[in-house]
Amino acid sequence: MIVANRLPVDRVKLPDGTLGWRKSPGGLVTALEPVMRSNQGAWVGWPGTAGEEADPFVDDGLSLVPIAMSEQEVREFYEGFSNGTLWPLYHDVVAKPEFHREWWDSYVTVNRRFANRAAEVASEGATVWIQDYQLQLVPQMLRDLRPDLRIGFFLHIPFPPGELFQQLPWRRQILEGLLGADLVGFQLNGAAQNFVRLVRQRVGHKTHRDTVYLPDGRTVQATAFPISIDTNGFEELARSQSVAERATQIRAALGNPKRVLLGIDRLDYTKGIYPRLRAYSELVKDGHFDVNDSVFVQVATPSRERVEQYRVLRDDIDRLVGRINGDLGRIGKPVISYMHSSFPRHEMAALYRAADIMVVTPFRDGMNLVAKEYVACRFDNDGALVLSEFAGAANEMRQAWLINPYDINGMKATILEAAQSDDKERSRRMKAMRKTVIDNDVAKWANKFLESLTQLRPNHTKPVRPARLS
Ligand code: G6P
């Protein structure tokens, strides 16, 4: 059973005015949805809007258990503590985290609601896998209610070094919440080490390497499991006739330029969209790229739109794109083709196929699945990936053109190098990255995590039955 802040589908108003469901945004759902659909599990989560408790329902073989949140809880738990406190704190304080006691109270209340509901629907001895920073208290709350369960937790975003984490007034409660799990998974080794060190220093438990020894004899393991994507699914899509046709159409609509550069991100201040567009515009201004035969396509998916820092970011990017196109564009030839919208997988695959250079420049990112999706779609071993060294993906994809997003001149030089690289060089790099993404897909990631969890609690030998939905 998965417990995640979001259900894999959001409740939305459809164009005809009726209510319907649409796939939720972000890396977590992208990664876990295919795994769960093939395992016929249950998924406990929030449908994405404030409102009443809805009944569980089955969507395409997956049992969905909606958790309600009031308007105030959306403000204090989701927009507040999750995305105004934890998100910036865990991403290297790229923006300033805010600490408010009422936000914390709401975080505790909503985490308890998730734990209670999970405790109600999980069958005897079930494996429950809790996801991400919004639900860090759930592991211990759930263990208190249901000691028979096997509990795993995975953090999709970075786990910060002690110097930053210790700013959090509720640091000890968070650590103790996570210690309710048998296995705590992180994207990178460094994050797992940060966690174990903090547990030793702040909670005072004995630790050895990746294991924490609790006073009651239980152990908790903290290990890195770098997440991935449905590699085959993306490659198949990319190879399809309809995606190939769409990719040709996209290039034609852009005026069949010599070079298409591409950025696709949730509109988030961690993604480094601003310095990326600045770097590219300076390359145009310096004469290295010509608007007549090059274009930068930037897709920014709307995200957390009521949170102040996200509103400010949107205005900043709107203004920057307007200024760059105003200063350097020509009639019918923008420097940046900018879209503030989300696209289905098919269109994403076509964009990846249409792009000569994919530019991924976060200041800090747990993994970054867009980088992996691009590589999965480049079955021709062509295309260049420019990637921030501060994305988790850079750990596995060393053959990308790596950049430091804080260093605009360095970023300019590397984008240019990627653009001027010969076929052989691009193919050498792409082949190596493709091997990584093909050998390590999301199914393997989930299996590895669940196998480790099973081995850690061998006393639970009962087969995992489907969840009982009440
Ligand atoms: C990231 C987080 C997810 C989150 C997603 C979308 O991928 O790791 O937990 O669901 O962003 O953000 P949202 O706030 O819209 O759920």
Side-chain angles (χ1 to χ4, degrees), residues 103-153:
W103 289 4
W104 166 254
D105 292 343
S106 183
Y107 188 75
V108 176
T109 305
V110 175
N111 270 248
R112 187 161 302 287
R113 184 171 311 141
F114 274 84
N116 288 343
R117 193 73 180 112
E120 274 166 25
V121 298
S123 46
E124 175 74 25
T127 296
V128 180
W129 193 2
I130 300 152
Q131 309 291 326
D132 230 355
Y133 61 103
Q134 304 93 342
L135 302 180
Q136 293 172 101
L137 304 178
V138 175
Q140 187 57 50
M141 289 172 170
L142 185 56
R143 176 169 299 285
D144 290 342
L145 295 163
R146 292 287 304 272
D148 61 300
L149 301 175
R150 194 188 265 141
I151 302 176
F153 179 92

Side-chain angles (χ1 to χ4, degrees), residues 5-6 10 24-29 46 78 83 87 91 131-134 155-157 266 268 271 302-304 310:
N5 181 47
R6 273 185 189 278
D10 282 344
S24 311
L28 182 153
V29 167
W46 172 54
Y78 170 68
N83 291 312
W87 182 267
H91 284 90
Q131 309 291 326
D132 230 355
Y133 61 103
Q134 304 93 342
L155 186 71
H156 291 252
I157 68 172
R266 262 188 322 101
D268 193 294
K271 302 289 184 186
S303 185
R304 306 174 191 164
Y310 288 78

Side-chain angles (χ1 to χ4, degrees), residues 74-377:
V74 173
R75 266 199 321 273
E76 296 185 348
F77 158 79
Y78 170 68
E79 294 167 350
F81 200 77
S82 297
N83 291 312
T85 306
L86 294 172
W87 182 267
L89 182 68
Y90 282 28
H91 284 90
D92 272 7
V93 296
V94 176
K96 197 168 163 38
E98 288 184 39
F99 303 113
H100 297 294
R101 286 164 287 182
E102 11 6 307
W103 289 4
W104 166 254
D105 292 343
S106 183
Y107 188 75
V108 176
T109 305
V110 175
N111 270 248
R112 187 161 302 287
R113 184 171 311 141
F114 274 84
N116 288 343
R117 193 73 180 112
E120 274 166 25
V121 298
S123 46
E124 175 74 25
T127 296
V128 180
W129 193 2
I130 300 152
Q131 309 291 326
D132 230 355
Y133 61 103
Q134 304 93 342
L135 302 180
Q136 293 172 101
L137 304 178
V138 175
Q140 187 57 50
M141 289 172 170
L142 185 56
R143 176 169 299 285
D144 290 342
L145 295 163
R146 292 287 304 272
D148 61 300
L149 301 175
R150 194 188 265 141
I151 302 176
F153 179 92
F154 187 79
L155 186 71
H156 291 252
I157 68 172
F159 190 81
E163 292 75 10
L164 298 179
F165 186 80
Q166 285 174 47
Q167 290 180 12
L168 192 64
W170 308 278
R171 56 201 181 188
R172 190 178 168 124
Q173 289 95 314
I174 297 273
L175 295 172
E176 285 175 341
L178 291 170
L179 288 171
D182 300 298
L183 176 61
V184 184
F186 298 90
Q187 302 279 21
L188 302 180
N189 273 325
Q193 286 160 8
N194 287 345
F195 173 71
V196 173
R197 198 176 310 118
L198 272 158
V199 166
R200 192 169 57 241
Q201 290 168 350
R202 286 280 143 207
V203 194
H205 292 325
K206 224 180 101 201
T207 66
H208 179 64
R209 298 210 173 151
D210 60 356
T211 308
V212 178
Y213 297 86
L214 301 181
D216 65 1
R218 202 165 62 80
T219 58
V220 179
Q221 192 156 319
T223 312
F225 297 89
I227 203 167
S228 192
I229 54 160
D230 174 13
T231 312
N232 268 339
F234 263 100
E235 175 157 354
E236 258 171 44
L237 195 58
R239 283 182 185 274
S240 70
Q241 183 71 26
S242 66
V243 163
E245 280 166 12
R246 180 65 192 137
T248 309
Q249 265 177 18
I250 290 172
R251 285 194 78 109
L254 293 167
N256 283 322
K258 196 167 99 197
R259 252 185 227 108
V260 176
L261 296 90
L262 175 66
I264 302 185
D265 313 80
R266 262 188 322 101
L267 187 50
D268 193 294
Y269 50 78
T270 60
K271 302 289 184 186
I273 301 171
Y274 200 96
R276 168 195 318 169
L277 297 182
R278 262 195 66 191
Y280 179 70
S281 71
E282 287 186 19
L283 285 168
V284 172
K285 197 164 167 209
D286 301 345
H288 295 295
F289 287 97
D290 179 350
V291 285
N292 291 308
D293 63 17
S294 300
V295 64
F296 197 116
V297 176
Q298 176 65 52
V299 176
T301 308
S303 185
R304 306 174 191 164
E305 291 185 281
R306 298 197 312 189
V307 178
E308 177 64 12
Q309 284 147 335
Y310 288 78
R311 285 182 207 247
V312 170
L313 176 73
R314 178 165 185 199
D315 288 346
D316 288 349
I317 299 291
D318 283 354
R319 211 173 308 119
L320 180 68
V321 171
R323 187 179 314 144
I324 293 171
N325 283 340
D327 287 350
L328 303 168
R330 299 276 174 278
I331 286 179
K333 301 276 176 201
V335 180
I336 295 158
S337 174
Y338 177 60
M339 280 148 291
H340 180 246
S341 50
S342 64
F343 290 123
R345 244 163 71 108
H346 185 278
E347 185 74 359
M348 299 271 279
L351 283 163
Y352 294 139
R353 291 296 312 150
D356 303 293
I357 309 178
M358 180 84 210
V359 194
V360 183
T361 59
F363 293 122
R364 179 60 74 192
D365 210 332
M367 176 53 63
N368 197 290
L369 298 182
V370 161
K372 291 191 171 181
E373 288 171 4
Y374 180 66
V375 169
C377 289

Side-chain angles (χ1 to χ4, degrees), residues 391-430:
N395 251 44
E396 295 168 88
M397 302 207 288
R398 307 302 304 170
Q399 303 82 3
W401 272 273
L402 295 176
I403 58 98
N404 168 2
Y406 294 98
D407 171 12
I408 303 247
N409 282 348
M411 192 154 43
K412 284 168 66 178
T414 308
I415 292 175
L416 203 54
E417 205 187 291
Q420 291 169 346
S421 62
D422 60 30
D423 300 358
K424 227 173 111 197
E425 175 69 3
R426 280 198 306 280
S427 149
R428 182 185 68 77
R429 291 180 184 241
M430 188 54 82

